[in-house]
Amino acid sequence: METRAEKWLLRLYITGPGGVSALARMNLERICREHVKTGYRIDVIDLLKNPALAREHEVVAVPMVVRESPVPIRKVIGDLSNAERALFALKHGAYDV
């Protein structure tokens, strides 16, 4: 029986449309396009528009991307400009990038 690789569900927490938030979004989209072959979905959550979500979703710094699926959950903080480190952290955890 063939098993399908699970699609990545990513949540990117930002504060506004510009600066480091825009850079993190652009870098995450590029990393996924180039390296996530199983498919992915990126949900962008602007904490300036929904500040209560920061506490509810345990956001400790921004920009922050959370890989909700596949489990285990992975959290990465930073602009994701170092694609190699960002990808490693999204797959395995344990890096601020």
Side-chain angles (χ1 to χ4, degrees):
M1 175 184 261
E2 184 179 319
T3 59
R4 288 187 63 186
E6 195 170 343
K7 181 177 176 178
W8 281 24
L9 170 58
L10 302 159
R11 291 202 173 120
L12 177 62
Y13 295 90
I14 59 170
T15 52
V20 144
S21 295
L23 184 60
R25 185 176 189 167
M26 179 183 68
N27 287 333
L28 181 59
E29 289 170 351
R30 179 180 44 80
I31 289 167
C32 288
R33 200 173 45 250
E34 294 175 2
H35 300 285
V36 182
K37 304 303 181 195
T38 59
Y40 60 92
R41 186 178 94 208
I42 300 171
D43 295 333
V44 178
I45 299 157
D46 188 340
L47 296 175
L48 291 179
K49 294 179 181 177
N50 301 297
L53 292 178
R55 178 173 288 179
E56 185 179 325
H57 294 185
E58 300 178 350
V59 176
V60 296
V62 290
M64 182 171 89
V65 63
V66 178
R67 191 195 74 195
E68 296 282 336
S69 172
V71 292
I73 292 172
R74 301 285 186 215
K75 297 181 179 183
V76 181
I77 297 168
D79 67 9
L80 311 173
S81 58
N82 184 326
E84 184 178 327
R85 287 184 70 165
L87 188 59
F88 182 89
L90 287 169
K91 288 182 176 180
H92 307 287
Y95 268 132
D96 286 348
V97 293

